[in-house]
Amino acid sequence: NAGVTQTPKFQVLKTGQSMTLQCAQDMNHNSMYWYRQDPGMGLRLIYYSASEGTTDKGEVPNGYNVSRLNKREFSLRLESAAPSQTSVYFCASSPAWGGLANEQYFGPGTRLTVT
Amino acid sequence: AQTVTQSQPEMSVQEAETVTLSCTYDTSESDYYLFWYKQPPSRQMILVIRQEAYKQQNATENRFSVNFQKAAKSFSLKISDSQLGDAAMYFCAYRSASAGNMLTFGGGTRLMVKP
């Protein structure tokens, strides 16, 4: 099992460019998440998908859109990148939305720089 | 909204000794879960230990244990017999029992282990 995979690992964008970060999990999990991690800070939730076909905003959704393409894949799109979106982006998945045993499994992260 | 605070940006410990990382949180809820995650230089987020707020007994996982003080809203992590591989960023996280699987992270503590 690969677990949670993310592509690309690194990306440099110019201000105003768009891009999509891809995430896939092979654990048959129902719930998926996108976080960002800024220097000196913990992870903050951008968007989540509690189950296939649903998506909801997290703590910091402005400037982002998401798509739950199917049960395995959850993408994050930056329509017009801004320097404030320079960060490390993590995708995660969990078996379900509620309950204690729903540990979140994280991908390796994507380091995005917007110049 | 809940907040999680880690007041120690950096900690250092000698190999084989014990270190305690601090975490406090602010919530008005009575039912919730607390977690410690480890993030080594590889950036992979790894769950170290979890605690249910309704359980008085402190959780332990091998060399890792917590001191959960519900009234004080404190959740510290003790690492015994520290090893070089324990060097990493450590994040404390909070999850409400009624808010699905949304995690709120603290700012992290960088742990250095000296040989």
Side-chain angles (χ1 to χ4, degrees), chain B residues 2-23:
Chain B
Q2 292 81 18
T3 57
V4 178
T5 303
Q6 295 178 246
S7 59
Q8 307 152 316
E10 278 192 5
M11 291 283 286
S12 180
V13 64
Q14 206 70 35
E15 195 176 5
E17 296 195 341
T18 296
V19 64
T20 298
L21 308 184
S22 300
C23 172

PDB file of all heavy atoms in Angstrom, chain B residues 2-23:
ATOM      1  N   GLN B   2     -11.758  26.636  19.294  1.00  0.00           N
ATOM      2  CA  GLN B   2     -10.733  26.082  20.161  1.00  0.00           C
ATOM      3  C   GLN B   2      -9.361  26.576  19.725  1.00  0.00           C
ATOM      4  O   GLN B   2      -9.124  26.820  18.549  1.00  0.00           O
ATOM      5  CB  GLN B   2     -10.758  24.555  20.081  1.00  0.00           C
ATOM      6  CG  GLN B   2     -12.000  23.927  20.670  1.00  0.00           C
ATOM      7  CD  GLN B   2     -13.183  23.959  19.720  1.00  0.00           C
ATOM      8  OE1 GLN B   2     -13.021  24.144  18.526  1.00  0.00           O
ATOM      9  NE2 GLN B   2     -14.373  23.825  20.266  1.00  0.00           N
ATOM     10  N   THR B   3      -8.474  26.737  20.698  1.00  0.00           N
ATOM     11  CA  THR B   3      -7.087  27.066  20.392  1.00  0.00           C
ATOM     12  C   THR B   3      -6.176  26.103  21.129  1.00  0.00           C
ATOM     13  O   THR B   3      -6.514  25.608  22.209  1.00  0.00           O
ATOM     14  CB  THR B   3      -6.734  28.498  20.814  1.00  0.00           C
ATOM     15  OG1 THR B   3      -6.991  28.646  22.209  1.00  0.00           O
ATOM     16  CG2 THR B   3      -7.538  29.523  20.050  1.00  0.00           C
ATOM     17  N   VAL B   4      -5.040  25.839  20.514  1.00  0.00           N
ATOM     18  CA  VAL B   4      -4.047  24.947  21.095  1.00  0.00           C
ATOM     19  C   VAL B   4      -2.721  25.691  21.142  1.00  0.00           C
ATOM     20  O   VAL B   4      -2.298  26.252  20.120  1.00  0.00           O
ATOM     21  CB  VAL B   4      -3.906  23.666  20.252  1.00  0.00           C
ATOM     22  CG1 VAL B   4      -2.835  22.758  20.842  1.00  0.00           C
ATOM     23  CG2 VAL B   4      -5.240  22.928  20.173  1.00  0.00           C
ATOM     24  N   THR B   5      -2.082  25.706  22.294  1.00  0.00           N
ATOM     25  CA  THR B   5      -0.858  26.475  22.473  1.00  0.00           C
ATOM     26  C   THR B   5       0.282  25.581  22.937  1.00  0.00           C
ATOM     27  O   THR B   5       0.145  24.844  23.921  1.00  0.00           O
ATOM     28  CB  THR B   5      -1.068  27.600  23.517  1.00  0.00           C
ATOM     29  OG1 THR B   5      -2.141  28.430  23.097  1.00  0.00           O
ATOM     30  CG2 THR B   5       0.187  28.435  23.668  1.00  0.00           C
ATOM     31  N   GLN B   6       1.381  25.663  22.229  1.00  0.00           N
ATOM     32  CA  GLN B   6       2.608  24.985  22.659  1.00  0.00           C
ATOM     33  C   GLN B   6       3.620  26.088  22.944  1.00  0.00           C
ATOM     34  O   GLN B   6       4.092  26.761  22.035  1.00  0.00           O
ATOM     35  CB  GLN B   6       3.102  24.035  21.570  1.00  0.00           C
ATOM     36  CG  GLN B   6       2.131  22.886  21.316  1.00  0.00           C
ATOM     37  CD  GLN B   6       2.589  21.978  20.199  1.00  0.00           C
ATOM     38  OE1 GLN B   6       1.969  21.898  19.149  1.00  0.00           O
ATOM     39  NE2 GLN B   6       3.683  21.275  20.439  1.00  0.00           N
ATOM     40  N   SER B   7       3.957  26.258  24.197  1.00  0.00           N
ATOM     41  CA  SER B   7       4.739  27.418  24.629  1.00  0.00           C
ATOM     42  C   SER B   7       6.240  27.246  24.450  1.00  0.00           C
ATOM     43  O   SER B   7       6.999  28.189  24.655  1.00  0.00           O
ATOM     44  CB  SER B   7       4.436  27.735  26.091  1.00  0.00           C
ATOM     45  OG  SER B   7       4.744  26.611  26.897  1.00  0.00           O
ATOM     46  N   GLN B   8       6.670  26.048  24.085  1.00  0.00           N
ATOM     47  CA  GLN B   8       8.111  25.786  23.937  1.00  0.00           C
ATOM     48  C   GLN B   8       8.449  25.633  22.458  1.00  0.00           C
ATOM     49  O   GLN B   8       8.221  24.571  21.891  1.00  0.00           O
ATOM     50  CB  GLN B   8       8.498  24.498  24.677  1.00  0.00           C
ATOM     51  CG  GLN B   8       8.070  24.441  26.126  1.00  0.00           C
ATOM     52  CD  GLN B   8       7.852  23.003  26.598  1.00  0.00           C
ATOM     53  OE1 GLN B   8       7.243  22.205  25.895  1.00  0.00           O
ATOM     54  NE2 GLN B   8       8.339  22.676  27.784  1.00  0.00           N
ATOM     55  N   PRO B   9       8.998  26.643  21.812  1.00  0.00           N
ATOM     56  CA  PRO B   9       9.329  26.506  20.390  1.00  0.00           C
ATOM     57  C   PRO B   9      10.393  25.437  20.162  1.00  0.00           C
ATOM     58  O   PRO B   9      10.371  24.742  19.153  1.00  0.00           O
ATOM     59  CB  PRO B   9       9.871  27.884  20.015  1.00  0.00           C
ATOM     60  CG  PRO B   9       9.400  28.795  21.083  1.00  0.00           C
ATOM     61  CD  PRO B   9       9.257  27.974  22.329  1.00  0.00           C
ATOM     62  N   GLU B  10      11.337  25.316  21.122  1.00  0.00           N
ATOM     63  CA  GLU B  10      12.423  24.347  20.980  1.00  0.00           C
ATOM     64  C   GLU B  10      12.730  23.722  22.327  1.00  0.00           C
ATOM     65  O   GLU B  10      12.652  24.368  23.365  1.00  0.00           O
ATOM     66  CB  GLU B  10      13.695  25.032  20.459  1.00  0.00           C
ATOM     67  CG  GLU B  10      13.746  25.227  18.979  1.00  0.00           C
ATOM     68  CD  GLU B  10      15.129  25.645  18.502  1.00  0.00           C
ATOM     69  OE1 GLU B  10      16.066  25.693  19.314  1.00  0.00           O
ATOM     70  OE2 GLU B  10      15.260  25.929  17.310  1.00  0.00           O
ATOM     71  N   MET B  11      13.072  22.441  22.281  1.00  0.00           N
ATOM     72  CA  MET B  11      13.517  21.739  23.480  1.00  0.00           C
ATOM     73  C   MET B  11      14.714  20.876  23.084  1.00  0.00           C
ATOM     74  O   MET B  11      14.828  20.434  21.931  1.00  0.00           O
ATOM     75  CB  MET B  11      12.413  20.850  24.043  1.00  0.00           C
ATOM     76  CG  MET B  11      11.247  21.617  24.629  1.00  0.00           C
ATOM     77  SD  MET B  11      11.622  22.305  26.242  1.00  0.00           S
ATOM     78  CE  MET B  11      11.580  20.826  27.259  1.00  0.00           C
ATOM     79  N   SER B  12      15.542  20.602  24.072  1.00  0.00           N
ATOM     80  CA  SER B  12      16.721  19.779  23.832  1.00  0.00           C
ATOM     81  C   SER B  12      16.811  18.742  24.936  1.00  0.00           C
ATOM     82  O   SER B  12      16.477  19.027  26.092  1.00  0.00           O
ATOM     83  CB  SER B  12      17.957  20.675  23.823  1.00  0.00           C
ATOM     84  OG  SER B  12      19.117  19.918  23.603  1.00  0.00           O
ATOM     85  N   VAL B  13      17.244  17.534  24.562  1.00  0.00           N
ATOM     86  CA  VAL B  13      17.375  16.463  25.556  1.00  0.00           C
ATOM     87  C   VAL B  13      18.601  15.631  25.214  1.00  0.00           C
ATOM     88  O   VAL B  13      18.949  15.473  24.031  1.00  0.00           O
ATOM     89  CB  VAL B  13      16.108  15.595  25.595  1.00  0.00           C
ATOM     90  CG1 VAL B  13      15.888  14.874  24.270  1.00  0.00           C
ATOM     91  CG2 VAL B  13      16.152  14.589  26.740  1.00  0.00           C
ATOM     92  N   GLN B  14      19.227  15.107  26.241  1.00  0.00           N
ATOM     93  CA  GLN B  14      20.357  14.208  26.033  1.00  0.00           C
ATOM     94  C   GLN B  14      19.810  12.817  25.714  1.00  0.00           C
ATOM     95  O   GLN B  14      18.773  12.391  26.289  1.00  0.00           O
ATOM     96  CB  GLN B  14      21.203  14.153  27.319  1.00  0.00           C
ATOM     97  CG  GLN B  14      22.663  13.813  27.131  1.00  0.00           C
ATOM     98  CD  GLN B  14      23.449  14.916  26.455  1.00  0.00           C
ATOM     99  OE1 GLN B  14      23.213  16.100  26.645  1.00  0.00           O
ATOM    100  NE2 GLN B  14      24.405  14.503  25.642  1.00  0.00           N
ATOM    101  N   GLU B  15      20.479  12.134  24.834  1.00  0.00           N
ATOM    102  CA  GLU B  15      20.071  10.767  24.510  1.00  0.00           C
ATOM    103  C   GLU B  15      19.960   9.945  25.798  1.00  0.00           C
ATOM    104  O   GLU B  15      20.785  10.075  26.706  1.00  0.00           O
ATOM    105  CB  GLU B  15      21.136  10.160  23.591  1.00  0.00           C
ATOM    106  CG  GLU B  15      20.715   8.899  22.878  1.00  0.00           C
ATOM    107  CD  GLU B  15      21.774   8.400  21.908  1.00  0.00           C
ATOM    108  OE1 GLU B  15      22.876   8.995  21.858  1.00  0.00           O
ATOM    109  OE2 GLU B  15      21.507   7.427  21.201  1.00  0.00           O
ATOM    110  N   ALA B  16      18.915   9.123  25.859  1.00  0.00           N
ATOM    111  CA  ALA B  16      18.611   8.226  26.981  1.00  0.00           C
ATOM    112  C   ALA B  16      17.929   8.941  28.155  1.00  0.00           C
ATOM    113  O   ALA B  16      17.494   8.269  29.091  1.00  0.00           O
ATOM    114  CB  ALA B  16      19.840   7.495  27.496  1.00  0.00           C
ATOM    115  N   GLU B  17      17.811  10.249  28.092  1.00  0.00           N
ATOM    116  CA  GLU B  17      17.137  10.948  29.180  1.00  0.00           C
ATOM    117  C   GLU B  17      15.665  11.199  28.827  1.00  0.00           C
ATOM    118  O   GLU B  17      15.186  10.802  27.764  1.00  0.00           O
ATOM    119  CB  GLU B  17      17.873  12.245  29.501  1.00  0.00           C
ATOM    120  CG  GLU B  17      19.288  11.962  30.015  1.00  0.00           C
ATOM    121  CD  GLU B  17      19.929  13.163  30.677  1.00  0.00           C
ATOM    122  OE1 GLU B  17      19.481  14.296  30.461  1.00  0.00           O
ATOM    123  OE2 GLU B  17      20.926  12.937  31.413  1.00  0.00           O
ATOM    124  N   THR B  18      14.979  11.841  29.773  1.00  0.00           N
ATOM    125  CA  THR B  18      13.536  12.070  29.637  1.00  0.00           C
ATOM    126  C   THR B  18      13.251  13.543  29.381  1.00  0.00           C
ATOM    127  O   THR B  18      13.925  14.425  29.937  1.00  0.00           O
ATOM    128  CB  THR B  18      12.808  11.621  30.925  1.00  0.00           C
ATOM    129  OG1 THR B  18      12.983  10.203  31.078  1.00  0.00           O
ATOM    130  CG2 THR B  18      11.328  11.934  30.865  1.00  0.00           C
ATOM    131  N   VAL B  19      12.272  13.802  28.537  1.00  0.00           N
ATOM    132  CA  VAL B  19      11.893  15.182  28.230  1.00  0.00           C
ATOM    133  C   VAL B  19      10.374  15.282  28.219  1.00  0.00           C
ATOM    134  O   VAL B  19       9.686  14.309  27.880  1.00  0.00           O
ATOM    135  CB  VAL B  19      12.482  15.618  26.867  1.00  0.00           C
ATOM    136  CG1 VAL B  19      11.897  14.799  25.726  1.00  0.00           C
ATOM    137  CG2 VAL B  19      12.276  17.104  26.629  1.00  0.00           C
ATOM    138  N   THR B  20       9.872  16.439  28.604  1.00  0.00           N
ATOM    139  CA  THR B  20       8.423  16.671  28.612  1.00  0.00           C
ATOM    140  C   THR B  20       8.098  17.893  27.761  1.00  0.00           C
ATOM    141  O   THR B  20       8.666  18.973  27.956  1.00  0.00           O
ATOM    142  CB  THR B  20       7.914  16.892  30.046  1.00  0.00           C
ATOM    143  OG1 THR B  20       8.169  15.704  30.823  1.00  0.00           O
ATOM    144  CG2 THR B  20       6.425  17.169  30.045  1.00  0.00           C
ATOM    145  N   LEU B  21       7.180  17.705  26.829  1.00  0.00           N
ATOM    146  CA  LEU B  21       6.720  18.788  25.958  1.00  0.00           C
ATOM    147  C   LEU B  21       5.342  19.237  26.433  1.00  0.00           C
ATOM    148  O   LEU B  21       4.480  18.401  26.716  1.00  0.00           O
ATOM    149  CB  LEU B  21       6.633  18.306  24.508  1.00  0.00           C
ATOM    150  CG  LEU B  21       7.890  17.622  23.938  1.00  0.00           C
ATOM    151  CD1 LEU B  21       7.672  17.292  22.466  1.00  0.00           C
ATOM    152  CD2 LEU B  21       9.119  18.471  24.141  1.00  0.00           C
ATOM    153  N   SER B  22       5.148  20.549  26.487  1.00  0.00           N
ATOM    154  CA  SER B  22       3.918  21.100  27.051  1.00  0.00           C
ATOM    155  C   SER B  22       2.891  21.465  25.980  1.00  0.00           C
ATOM    156  O   SER B  22       3.257  21.827  24.851  1.00  0.00           O
ATOM    157  CB  SER B  22       4.240  22.361  27.861  1.00  0.00           C
ATOM    158  OG  SER B  22       5.123  22.063  28.900  1.00  0.00           O
ATOM    159  N   CYS B  23       1.637  21.370  26.353  1.00  0.00           N
ATOM    160  CA  CYS B  23       0.540  21.768  25.479  1.00  0.00           C
ATOM    161  C   CYS B  23      -0.634  22.200  26.351  1.00  0.00           C
ATOM    162  O   CYS B  23      -0.976  21.512  27.319  1.00  0.00           O
ATOM    163  CB  CYS B  23       0.120  20.602  24.588  1.00  0.00           C
ATOM    164  SG  CYS B  23      -1.374  20.890  23.611  1.00  0.00           S
TER     165      CYS B  23
END
